[in-house]
Each structure stands twice: as C-alpha cells, then as structure tokens.
Amino acid sequence: MNALLKALALRSPGDMARLGVILALLGLILFGALRYDNFLSQYNILSFLRYNSMFALIALGMAFVIMTGGIDLSVGGAAAMASVIAALLSPHHWAAGLFGGIAAGLAVGALNGFIVTAMRIQPFIATLATMLAAYGTALLLAGNQSVSVSYDSGFTEIGQGDFLGFPIPAWIGLLAYIAGWLVLERLPIGRHMLAIGGGEATAALMGLKVRRTLIAVYLGSGALAGLAGVILASQFGAGQPTEGVGWELFAIASVVVGGTLLTGGSGSVGATLAGALLLAMVFNILNFENGLGWISLSAYWQSVIRGGFLLIVVVLQARLMSRREEKA
C-alpha cells in the first residue's frame, strides 16, 4: 500500500488527471450497466459511438492546439459551415461533399494559423473572430435555413452507414485518434508542439520551426472540425448553419478533463478521447435517468454540466500545480 502511495505521489498532475478520467469513465459504465437494463445493448452502444464521434474529432484537434498553449474557439463555426458546404456539394458525389466539408474546415484553420503566426494576434481573439465569420458564412450560404443533402449520391452513408457492423463515424474517429497518437508520440512535430506549449520563445531559441508547427496545428484542428461537420450533415440529412454552438466548450472540457493543462506543454491523445467519452457518457446516463422518470432534465442542462466539469477540473489543476511548485 505504501509503495502504491509513493508511486502516485511521483506522478505529475497531468498523469493523475489522466488516471482519474479513465477510472471515472469505467465507473460510469459500471454504474450504467448495473442500473439500466438496455445500457449495454447493441443499439445504445452503436448509437452512442455514432453520435459522439463528431465531438471526439473536434476534441482531438483542440487537444493539439491547447498543447501548444493556444485555443481554438472556431471549431463549432467551422463544423457548421462545413456541414452546409458538404450538403450543397453532396448532389454531385459523396466525395465532393466529404472533401468539400474538410476543405471548408481547412480554410478556417489556415486563416487561424495566419492570424496567430503572421499577425501575432492572441489565439483567443483570432479564433473568436473566425468563429463569428464561419457562422456568418454558413448562414449566408444556407439562406438562414437547413440545407438538405442528397440521398442518391451515397453521401448519407458517411454518417448513417456501418462497416463490419460498426458505425462509419466511429471508424473515422478511431482512425483519427490512432493517427493523432502517432503524431504526438512518434513524430518530431509532436515533441515540437509540447515544446512550444512549454515556452514559445524557448522553443524558437532551440531552433524549432514554431510558426510552421502552429500553422500545422490550426490546420489540423480546422480539418477535424470540417470532418465533424461532414458527419453532422450526413448523419442528420441536412447542413445546419446554426449547429455547433457550444461545441468548442465540449472540446475544451474534454481536453482539460483528460489532463491536458490549459497553459500547454503537456497532453495525451488517449486521455482526450477518454475525456470526450466521459462527458458524453454523463449525458447518456441522464437520458436513461429521464426515461426512468426519477428526474426530468432538459437538453439545456448539458451546457450547465459541461461548464461545471470544466470549472472543477481547472480549479483542481491549479491547486495541484501550486502544490507541486511549493514542494519544488
């Protein structure tokens, strides 16, 4: 027992948070399995993975941005704009809708990267501006209404189809996280992102290509937001220009709950996925609880819970970091 306590004491605050989010996720799954009859049914599991793949994708992009010490508030707007563009292009071919939506997200990411690196604007302000621009563009393109997708081109299979009995959006999310893990753990750019988060000036003195790395990070975040928008349009059959509000909060909460510090310099792809699944699992359990009739919570409570989660984790991170500094 003493050895276990010593081992835990040697862990960093980030490591403790990552361990905590995994244990919390497993605890919620066990709670749901014991309390609700159909919680582990095939229908609930596949529906859960199909729907929440969108949020897992934007959380992955947000994780890389936060690791560099930045923030990307434009992911919701980029996803909304991408969903509209994908819907408009879907009658031509499913690939046109797919790559058109991703290209829309890349455009937002490129603009973010340019403003942050070339114009030296703080990421919070830069991405806030592009978020508003993306929502405005989505509304202009859609004529302030939902845009129906084509059901004849095969585009809806992206969001509604299955492959080997597993939802296609979930496959997309899985492949994205495998690629993200490889980028962070096996490629030089992963170490460069963490070094920039630890101190941009120091990273530049080390000879790292700070500007190129930051542009790549924002491009990746934009592309993943665009892909999430494609899944949104194909899954629900329409491009939705007003969707995506609050998605940036879900992404930030997922990343921070997963143990990534908002100050940058550390992070984990696997723990980010666990954080996204944990938040999604809370809402899934609330839906089951509503079905039992014991409580009745509207969908608006989701934002309250996300904000509460984020506040609690940030406060805990701050306390852990202050204690660590005192011991040092």
Side-chain angles (χ1 to χ4, degrees), residues 54 76-91 97-98 100-101 104 134-135 137-151 155-156 159-160 225-245 247:
M54 299 179 292
M81 185 177 74
S83 75
V84 171
I85 292 176
L88 291 171
L89 294 176
S90 64
L98 172 62
Y135 277 123
T137 303
L139 289 167
L140 287 172
L141 292 173
N144 199 23
Q145 61 184 357
S146 297
V147 179
S148 298
V149 305
S150 171
Y151 285 84
F155 176 74
T156 54
Q160 301 175 13
L227 184 54
V230 171
I231 294 174
L232 172 68
S234 60
Q235 192 171 130
F236 294 97
Q240 303 180 46
T242 58
E243 190 60 52
V245 176
W247 283 25

Side-chain angles (χ1 to χ4, degrees), residues 16-80:
M16 293 294 293
R18 290 163 204 153
L19 178 62
V21 71
I22 293 172
L23 292 176
L25 178 59
L26 293 175
L28 276 181
I29 294 173
L30 180 61
F31 171 80
L34 295 175
R35 182 165 174 79
Y36 312 113
D37 293 335
N38 298 317
F39 186 77
L40 293 181
S41 66
Q42 182 180 9
Y43 175 80
N44 185 55
I45 293 173
L46 295 183
S47 298
F48 175 86
L49 294 174
R50 187 186 305 277
Y51 176 70
N52 289 292
S53 61
M54 299 179 292
F55 306 116
L57 287 172
I58 62 169
L60 177 60
M62 185 70 76
F64 288 139
V65 174
I66 291 179
M67 286 178 199
T68 65
I71 199 77
D72 188 355
L73 300 180
S74 68
V75 290

Side-chain angles (χ1 to χ4, degrees), residues 68-70 110-127 196 199-205 208-215 218:
T68 65
L111 185 57
N112 286 333
F114 173 76
I115 296 173
V116 169
T117 59
M119 302 180 69
R120 307 303 297 174
I121 304 297
Q122 288 295 319
F124 182 91
I125 302 299
T127 58
I196 293 170
E200 187 173 326
T202 304
L205 290 174
L208 302 182
K209 300 183 184 301
V210 174
R211 181 177 178 179
R212 183 181 300 179
T213 302
L214 289 176
I215 290 175
Y218 283 101

Side-chain angles (χ1 to χ4, degrees), residues 1 19 27 40 58-59 62 70 110 120 131 143 147 159 163 174 220 237 261-262 265 271 276 300:
M1 185 65 179
L19 178 62
L40 293 181
I58 62 169
M62 185 70 76
R120 307 303 297 174
M131 176 190 74
V147 179
F163 178 69
L174 178 62
L261 298 177
L262 281 172
Y300 300 115

Side-chain angles (χ1 to χ4, degrees), residues 250 279-288 301-302 305-306:
F250 183 96
L279 292 179
M281 188 68 66
V282 170
F283 307 136
N284 189 236
I285 286 178
L286 287 177
N287 289 332
F288 271 93
W301 277 99
Q302 293 188 10
I305 294 170
R306 288 172 186 169

Side-chain angles (χ1 to χ4, degrees), residues 254-269:
S254 299
V255 173
V256 176
V257 167
T260 299
L261 298 177
L262 281 172
T263 52
S266 70
S268 166
V269 168

